[in-house]
Amino acid sequence: MTTTAELLKGAAALFPDEVVTQAHVRHLDLPKGAGRFALITLDNGLDHTKPTTFGPQSLANLDAAIDQVEKEAAAGEIVGIGLTGKPFIFAVGADLKGVELLARHEDALAIGKGGHDVFKRLSALAVPTFAYYNGAAMGGGVEAGLHCTYRTVSKALPAFSLPEVFLGLVPGWGGCTLLPNLIGADKAISVIIENSLNQNKQLKGKQVFELGIADALFEGADFLERSLDWTAAVLTGETEVHRTEVDRGEAWDAAVQRGKAIADGKVHGAAPAAYRALDIIAAAKNGDLRQGFDAEDRALADLIMGGELRSGIYAFNLVQKRAKRPAGAPDRSLARPVTKVGVVGAGLMASQLALLFARRLEVPVVLTDIDQARIDKGVAYVHGEIDKLLLKGRVNQDKANRLKGLVSGHLDKAAAFGDADFVIEAVFEEMGVKQQVFAEVEAVVPEHAILATNTSSLSVTEMASKLKHPERVVGFHFFNPVAILPLLEIVRAEKTDDASLATAFAVAKSLKKTAVLVKDAPAFVVNRILTRFMGEIQNVIDEGTPVAVAERAVEPLGLPMSPLVLLELVGPAIGLHVSETLHGAFPERFTVSPNLKAVVEAGKRGFYVYDSGKPELDPEVAALLKQGDAVLTEEQVRDRVLDAVAQEIGLMLDEGVVAEAQDIDLCLITGAGWPFHLGGITPYLDREGVSERVTGKKFLAPGVASVPA
């Protein structure tokens, strides 16, 4: 039989670039005369910006440390064992860089078994074990602590989660089995399924304690000292630990059903991870830990060899790495300082932008518009939003006063923008209006000032064409709601110079946005793909397919909302305008739906009414629809839609709209909420065979978002 050490040695050969975590053992005498104690500290030797992870060698190091303390415990030399992390970090789980490299099911199984074999030794020792969650703890880090007898948590802990389902895995080193047996199925479902599928929501230290995951909560400043005092009190019997009894009756089954409803609502059956986790949680009701651990091993191996996990890791890498180094961005040393921002317009979008610039850049922001009443309304909106931040405790009174003082309005553009370094327009989406605005602004701003446009579909080059200095015009396209969606499409027009572009990227970074460089092509990236996607849905409805069938057809994509609900969010009039713009540019591929036009002309805000709480086709809209008699099945609709999207992406890559397919996925994830577990769209199109059917080749190289060949 293969030993844990042999298992981990074999796995380590597959992880050549592992950042190795050491497990340092030191001994100390506990207070209150409680006895000698062994403390294991997990530390990869790097600062908190490089969190501690568990690859095979790291697990082997922890295994060796447990060998040592196991002998000491058996010999009666120690009364207990503690596990903690380096400053600010406990441990953040498995080393995903290595997981990407695995190409065989048996290797994936070894990773699952290796983690289990090491961690479960913590609960089998002859003395009590204590986990001290001193800092960020995720995935395998959380699970290592769950195998201990007791746990304490720091009030200063900023992030605690089991994010595996979010990535396309299950908590496979004990999480699915131990957590429900510790805190009950319902709370475990919240941590493992609900938080994970809610954009990987993190828990704070106090919440970890309140859920019952930790037995004690201490301040961050003297956390370890207080934890050791508490440990001594537990070991001497001075302190008794009481835990709520877990309900193993109908409440457990109801919790699993709630988890399934959450998964259905988020991924619509399109990704297996949540359902595999729920199966293990359901089976854990009988308290058989060994059976649960075996199920976790199998699920982990199956999912590691599946496309969804590879897509999840790919998406994670896009958001964490590629987003920080935008492809094609000029040298950041060329960027000019921005000490004052101007916003042309004072409507809702302009006001949202003013608030964002003031909060993130902390420089004066001035709005202008065509009359004083609009300006006053825009400034009042920003001030009102700052008051809301104050009420929520997001800013203190001093900061709120300072931010309000930064935002003002002025009717005279010369007075408003005479010393501005960066001016962005957010006026009506009409070329003549935008050209006029830029001409007025150029006449009054300093020579070095950047002129940015928040256009969603118009040509930035044409917008700049009548200016004396077109080289300082750049596209700066935000997504609504501005405060929530991270994407910023930065558009290089034909004459945009490097200094203007570098300044735009520097501003984007200060705004904490994910900036992607895009070519000045109609509707750029997100709106072009979404318009083609929506256009094909509208085409099949116009041709005769029932609305409900067209909507259901794309459910397997696991999108955050159905196409017609999305249209309602965007606004049918805006959707129509963008489709008309793209029809003008590419009439052979982009249509203008007569039914959508009729809906807009009738002043309808969408296709649905919500009288029953659920979306139902508005009878007035149904009366407007003129349909043909070509009725397609859900599968036929899905094929049409995906073929259209694949064709458009292929053409965009041929045109050089972005550097690579990865940028298209990054745009869809951060600008349109496209499912993280799909990796955006191109891995899904590759996996389903659509890319090759339409373009003759896959969008991504083997192993990029798939199992290596």
Side-chain angles (χ1 to χ4, degrees):
M1 187 172 161
T2 310
T3 66
T4 301
E6 289 168 338
L7 203 64
L8 292 172
K9 191 175 178 185
L14 302 170
F15 286 55
D17 300 321
E18 179 185 350
V19 177
V20 177
T21 296
Q22 303 298 331
H24 304 291
V25 181
R26 65 188 172 106
H27 296 86
L28 45 97
D29 292 316
L30 289 172
K32 308 181 201 294
R36 195 144 177 78
F37 189 75
L39 182 67
I40 302 171
T41 303
L42 303 168
D43 191 348
N44 61 6
L46 302 166
D47 69 16
H48 67 278
T49 61
K50 297 282 190 296
T52 305
T53 54
F54 293 117
Q57 186 55 53
S58 305
L59 287 170
N61 290 343
L62 178 57
D63 198 42
I66 296 172
D67 281 343
Q68 178 187 334
V69 297
E70 184 178 52
K71 286 175 189 151
E72 293 168 355
E77 295 168 11
I78 53 175
V79 294
I81 295 153
L83 184 66
T84 193
K86 67 183 184 181
F88 310 110
I89 304 289
F90 182 79
V92 299
D95 183 344
L96 289 176
K97 293 193 299 296
V99 172
E100 287 176 85
L101 304 173
L102 297 177
R104 299 186 313 158
H105 193 274
E106 53 264 43
D107 294 333
L109 196 59
I111 295 298
K113 278 189 63 56
H116 266 135
D117 288 352
V118 174
F119 287 178
K120 67 188 179 189
R121 293 183 69 195
L122 291 165
S123 59
L125 293 164
V127 295
T129 49
F130 297 78
Y132 306 133
Y133 289 126
N134 63 302
M138 295 172 203
V142 168
E143 290 170 301
L146 292 177
H147 283 270
C148 294
T149 324
Y150 304 101
R151 285 156 294 282
T152 67
V153 67
S154 166
K155 274 187 189 173
L157 181 146
F160 182 105
S161 65
L162 289 170
E164 287 85 351
V165 167
F166 178 65
L167 292 169
L169 278 174
V170 298
W173 286 344
C176 284
T177 304
L178 293 173
L179 192 62
N181 276 293
L182 175 67
I183 62 172
D186 198 61
K187 290 178 183 174
I189 296 269
S190 293
V191 177
I192 294 169
I193 307 294
E194 190 170 19
N195 289 358
S196 201
L197 291 179
N198 189 14
Q199 292 302 309
N200 194 18
K201 183 182 171 188
Q202 300 293 318
L203 297 168
K204 300 277 193 283
K206 187 166 180 275
Q207 294 168 299
V208 173
F209 172 67
E210 287 168 350
L211 281 166
I213 299 171
D215 301 301
L217 175 72
F218 300 119
E219 294 291 346
D222 56 352
F223 171 70
L224 188 56
E225 190 182 337
R226 296 280 303 280
S227 291
L228 292 169
D229 280 347
W230 181 84
T231 297
V234 170
L235 290 172
T236 59
E238 182 188 320
T239 294
E240 279 188 50
V241 173
H242 298 284
R243 294 180 186 147
T244 307
E245 193 177 339
V246 170
D247 186 335
R248 298 183 187 278
E250 289 178 11
W252 193 293
D253 301 332
V256 172
Q257 285 308 308
R258 183 174 79 87
K260 187 174 185 307
I262 292 166
D264 287 345
K266 290 287 186 180
V267 301
H268 309 284
Y275 302 97
R276 290 297 292 266
L278 286 165
D279 287 344
I280 300 167
I281 294 167
K285 181 179 176 181
N286 64 12
D288 185 336
L289 299 186
R290 183 172 175 179
Q291 173 193 307
F293 294 163
D294 288 346
E296 287 175 355
D297 286 341
R298 288 192 300 275
L300 209 55
D302 291 348
L303 291 166
I304 284 173
M305 299 314 294
E308 284 81 5
L309 168 68
R310 306 304 171 128
S311 295
I313 294 175
Y314 165 76
F316 183 81
N317 288 337
L318 289 181
V319 172
Q320 294 296 321
K321 295 175 185 173
R322 192 176 183 91
K324 290 177 174 62
R325 292 186 289 277
D331 192 298
R332 57 184 75 165
S333 66
L334 298 171
R336 294 192 282 258
V338 172
T339 60
K340 183 178 179 182
V341 173
V343 182
V344 186
L348 182 58
M349 188 68 174
S351 302
Q352 287 184 65
L353 295 180
L355 176 65
L356 181 71
F357 278 97
R359 281 192 74 194
R360 298 285 187 233
L361 270 59
E362 296 193 17
V363 300
V365 179
V366 187
L367 297 108
T368 67
D369 211 313
I370 55 173
D371 60 54
Q372 192 63 44
R374 290 178 198 231
I375 294 170
D376 293 344
K377 188 179 177 186
V379 173
Y381 169 86
V382 178
H383 287 189
E385 291 299 304
I386 294 167
D387 285 334
K388 287 180 191 172
L389 293 171
L390 177 65
L391 279 172
K392 290 175 184 170
R394 304 274 292 279
V395 296
N396 60 28
Q397 187 66 60
D398 182 49
K399 182 79 176 278
N401 293 343
R402 225 169 41 247
L403 289 174
K404 284 185 185 178
L406 289 173
V407 180
S408 61
H410 211 297
L411 201 52
D412 180 357
K413 287 189 178 68
F417 303 151
D419 55 349
D421 308 299
F422 190 100
V423 178
I424 184 165
E425 69 74 24
V427 299
F428 186 66
E429 193 76 347
E430 207 278 309
M431 183 59 75
V433 174
K434 290 185 185 281
Q435 284 180 330
Q436 183 188 339
V437 161
F438 268 163
E440 291 170 4
V441 171
E442 186 181 47
V444 299
V445 295
E447 279 199 11
H448 68 271
I450 307 298
L451 304 184
T453 169
N454 184 44
T455 182
S456 60
S457 60
L458 301 176
S459 166
V460 181
T461 301
E462 189 181 340
M463 219 176 285
S465 62
K466 297 181 180 177
L467 298 178
K468 291 176 189 162
H469 295 286
E471 68 279 0
R472 59 175 169 173
V473 176
V474 64
F476 213 63
H477 179 219
F478 290 88
F479 289 78
N480 219 346
V482 169
I484 295 170
L485 290 175
L487 181 63
L488 186 50
E489 291 178 336
I490 295 186
V491 187
R492 181 172 208 152
E494 277 178 22
K495 295 192 176 173
T496 307
D497 63 22
D498 282 354
S500 300
L501 203 59
T503 305
F505 274 99
V507 169
K509 189 174 183 187
S510 298
L511 295 174
K512 298 184 178 173
K513 291 295 181 186
T514 298
V516 176
L517 180 63
V518 304
K519 187 179 172 184
D520 187 18
F524 317 125
V525 176
V526 173
N527 283 343
R528 180 162 164 186
I529 291 170
L530 287 184
T531 304
R532 187 76 199 274
F533 174 82
M534 299 289 289
E536 213 52 51
I537 294 279
Q538 283 158 351
N539 286 345
V540 300
I541 291 170
D542 292 353
E543 290 163 19
T545 298
V547 169
V549 173
E551 290 265 80
R552 277 199 310 271
V554 292
E555 274 187 4
L557 280 169
L559 299 173
M561 62 190 76
S562 75
L564 294 183
V565 173
L566 173 64
L567 180 68
E568 202 168 292
L569 187 73
V570 171
I574 293 171
L576 179 65
H577 177 74
V578 177
S579 69
E580 286 171 341
T581 301
L582 281 160
H583 177 68
F586 309 115
E588 70 286 359
R589 298 195 311 279
F590 287 86
T591 54
V592 178
S593 164
N595 281 320
L596 178 59
K597 211 168 190 174
V599 167
V600 172
E601 284 169 359
K604 303 300 292 184
R605 296 181 62 181
F607 276 63
Y608 293 127
V609 288
Y610 295 85
D611 298 340
S612 66
K614 290 182 178 179
E616 291 174 4
L617 189 61
D618 183 340
E620 292 178 19
V621 170
L624 291 171
L625 295 182
K626 291 188 169 64
Q627 293 181 280
D629 53 11
V631 179
L632 301 183
T633 65
E634 287 178 27
E635 192 176 350
Q636 288 170 323
V637 172
R638 188 160 56 251
D639 285 348
R640 274 235 340 228
V641 171
L642 293 177
D643 285 4
V645 170
Q647 182 193 31
E648 206 58 40
I649 290 170
L651 291 165
M652 288 165 73
L653 293 171
D654 290 346
E655 292 167 25
V657 174
V658 288
E660 292 181 286
Q662 282 91 327
D663 293 310
I664 283 177
D665 292 318
L666 182 57
C667 284
L668 286 173
I669 291 165
T670 57
W674 213 276
F676 204 88
H677 62 264
L678 293 184
I681 182 64
T682 67
Y684 180 82
L685 294 172
D686 283 354
R687 202 162 61 241
E688 295 295 312
V690 181
S691 317
E692 287 177 279
R693 183 168 77 226
V694 175
T695 69
K697 60 183 181 185
K698 290 187 173 180
F699 290 121
L700 299 168
V704 172
S706 55
V707 177

